[in-house]
Amino acid sequence: MASSKPFSLLLSLSLLLLLTLSLRPSLTLSSNIHDLLQSRGLPPGLLPKQIKSYTLSESGLLEVYLDEPCVAEIENRLYFETVVRANLSYGGLTGVDGLSQEELFLWLPVKDIIVDDPRSGLILFDIGLARKQFSLSLFEDPPDCKPRVVLVNNMRKPMMGFGAQR
């Protein structure tokens, strides 16, 4: 009987450890990124359909991985790099890295994406020089994202990315 007590204690501790680990937020998540955005008060269409994987640290750092850089068209064109990083909080992605928005033929990095009040129906994109408001309804569905091919110097040479800007 004395030998069964340590075994019971070890079994109880093991079960407690497993339960604790299962309730702890995972660093690599297999659930849908678009569902995660919705659970944090953001529209699911902020990120394209073509997400390969993502991680979310306990500190809130979200890293989203795509197979290749791509462009999605919503109201403006959005350019997603292979990795998009941001601090995820309820109603916001701050310190965004890896996402640019086209404005008047210029590609400007998106710094923050904020939904202050979902009842307003607006989402705010901070692009450094300006803050742009869009209708939340534009981001209801994840957009298709297509590789960006640029023709350089009319040579019909396809080039990925932004290409040379003068």
Side-chain angles (χ1 to χ4, degrees):
M1 278 290 229
S3 65
S4 69
K5 240 182 183 182
F7 178 73
S8 296
L9 183 61
L10 181 62
L11 182 62
S12 298
L13 288 174
S14 297
L15 288 173
L16 182 62
L17 178 63
L18 284 173
L19 180 62
T20 303
L21 289 175
S22 69
L23 294 176
R24 190 173 171 209
S26 175
L27 294 179
T28 301
L29 303 171
S30 59
S31 66
N32 187 321
I33 182 71
H34 304 103
D35 292 340
L36 174 65
L37 290 175
Q38 276 193 301
S39 74
R40 300 293 175 97
L42 295 165
L46 282 179
L47 294 170
K49 293 176 187 174
Q50 291 81 358
I51 301 298
K52 182 169 76 174
S53 64
Y54 71 97
T55 60
L56 178 63
S57 72
E58 289 182 27
S59 67
L61 178 63
L62 176 66
E63 293 183 302
V64 179
Y65 304 95
L66 292 88
D67 283 326
E68 60 185 340
C70 63
V71 174
E73 298 219 17
I74 301 179
E75 186 167 294
N76 290 21
R77 292 192 307 167
L78 297 173
Y79 176 78
F80 296 88
E81 293 180 16
T82 306
V83 179
V84 177
R85 290 181 184 88
N87 293 304
L88 176 63
S89 60
Y90 193 84
L93 289 169
T94 57
V96 177
D97 183 40
L99 175 62
S100 299
Q101 177 183 322
E102 187 179 38
E103 281 295 322
L104 301 172
F105 307 109
L106 295 174
W107 287 97
L108 301 172
V110 174
K111 307 275 186 207
D112 300 316
I113 301 172
I114 308 289
V115 176
D116 279 329
D117 181 5
R119 295 173 299 187
S120 72
L122 297 174
I123 187 167
L124 178 78
F125 276 56
D126 181 351
I127 55 173
L129 301 173
R131 292 178 161 224
K132 301 270 303 190
Q133 287 187 344
F134 297 99
S135 171
L136 274 172
S137 64
L138 293 172
F139 299 93
E140 286 178 355
D141 298 314
D144 285 316
C145 204
K146 297 180 170 65
R148 180 154 192 242
V149 177
V150 178
L151 299 179
V152 179
N153 295 332
N154 294 327
M155 296 174 64
R156 297 208 173 269
K157 179 181 175 187
M159 194 169 144
M160 295 304 293
F162 294 118
Q165 293 193 10
R166 297 178 190 196

